[in-house]
Amino acid sequence: VCAERTFYAHRIVLAAESEVFKSGLATVTKEANDGRQEIRLAEISNPEAVKFMLDYMYQTDAAEWADYNPRTQEINKDVLRLAQAFRLPGLTERAMHWLAKDLSTGNVVEVLTICEDFGLNQLGDRILEQLTTNKKALAEVANSPQIMKYPKLMQALLQQAAAVPDEPQPKKRAKR
């Protein structure tokens, strides 16, 4: 149950895909009369995220996953929360792929913050690396009011920029 919306799933599928579900479902002994167990996902506010997780766990057609497109960044963050809570690395990969799509200087601070919040270090490092090699984009982000809210992100940008070698200067000829 998520945000008062009920999703039905088979225990065997949940347990097969997630050790967390496996151990949780094994320890729950009190069941309703019809044999159903209820799992409340109070930390998740977007039911669409639960649908994405269940589609992943039921291994829905890969072509459908090519269209994985949460309507908002908040839904994608809920997908990441579910992926972490139930230890679903494949779901994390899909959410990260969507996170990296359509990256711009307008949303890069938010995306980097999400990377930091969810421990997506590899993606965050790649974004920082690309950002610091593009001086125009780096200047836009450095001058955005958003960046001021994230001192750790500013520090990471500075460290990455300092590590990037300048373009080689043409050698000067020695005077004779």
Side-chain angles (χ1 to χ4, degrees):
V1 178
C2 174
E4 299 311 315
R5 187 160 162 213
T6 301
F7 295 88
Y8 295 97
H10 299 91
R11 277 183 236 154
I12 190 90
V13 173
L14 299 178
E17 293 297 317
S18 166
E19 285 296 320
V20 175
F21 272 121
K22 185 177 184 176
S23 64
L25 292 169
T27 59
V28 176
T29 56
K30 187 177 181 182
E31 297 180 10
N33 293 338
D34 59 4
R36 293 183 179 158
Q37 292 173 303
E38 185 177 286
I39 301 168
R40 290 204 164 266
L41 301 169
E43 321 78 47
I44 307 301
S45 56
N46 295 290
E48 187 177 347
V50 177
K51 183 183 180 328
F52 282 126
M53 178 186 71
L54 290 174
D55 286 348
Y56 168 78
M57 294 179 90
Y58 275 88
Q59 300 177 2
T60 303
D61 184 11
E64 220 176 277
W65 275 103
D67 298 330
Y68 173 80
N69 191 12
R71 290 175 290 124
T72 66
Q73 203 68 274
E74 289 305 313
I75 294 170
N76 201 48
K77 288 196 292 193
D78 274 350
V79 169
L80 285 165
R81 282 184 194 94
L82 288 166
Q84 284 186 340
F86 297 109
R87 294 189 202 125
L88 300 166
L91 185 58
T92 300
E93 287 293 320
R94 290 190 171 132
M96 280 176 35
H97 179 73
W98 186 82
L99 199 56
K101 272 177 49 176
D102 302 322
L103 201 56
S104 70
T105 54
N107 67 4
V108 74
V109 172
E110 180 183 20
V111 170
L112 286 168
T113 303
I114 292 169
C115 288
E116 184 180 323
D117 291 347
F118 289 94
L120 309 174
N121 300 331
Q122 188 177 11
L123 177 60
D125 291 347
R126 284 193 319 217
I127 293 170
L128 282 172
E129 186 179 306
Q130 289 298 309
L131 186 59
T132 53
T133 58
N134 182 336
K135 299 296 181 194
K136 184 179 176 193
L138 181 60
E140 273 185 54
V141 172
N143 290 313
S144 77
Q146 272 184 305
I147 194 75
M148 298 306 287
K149 298 175 192 168
Y150 304 101
K152 287 173 86 177
L153 182 54
M154 285 193 311
Q155 182 182 15
L157 275 170
L158 279 170
Q159 288 171 340
Q160 186 71 32
V164 173
D166 287 334
E167 294 174 18
Q169 300 295 319
K171 292 184 178 181
K172 294 181 182 177
R173 293 186 183 177
K175 292 183 180 178
R176 293 181 194 200

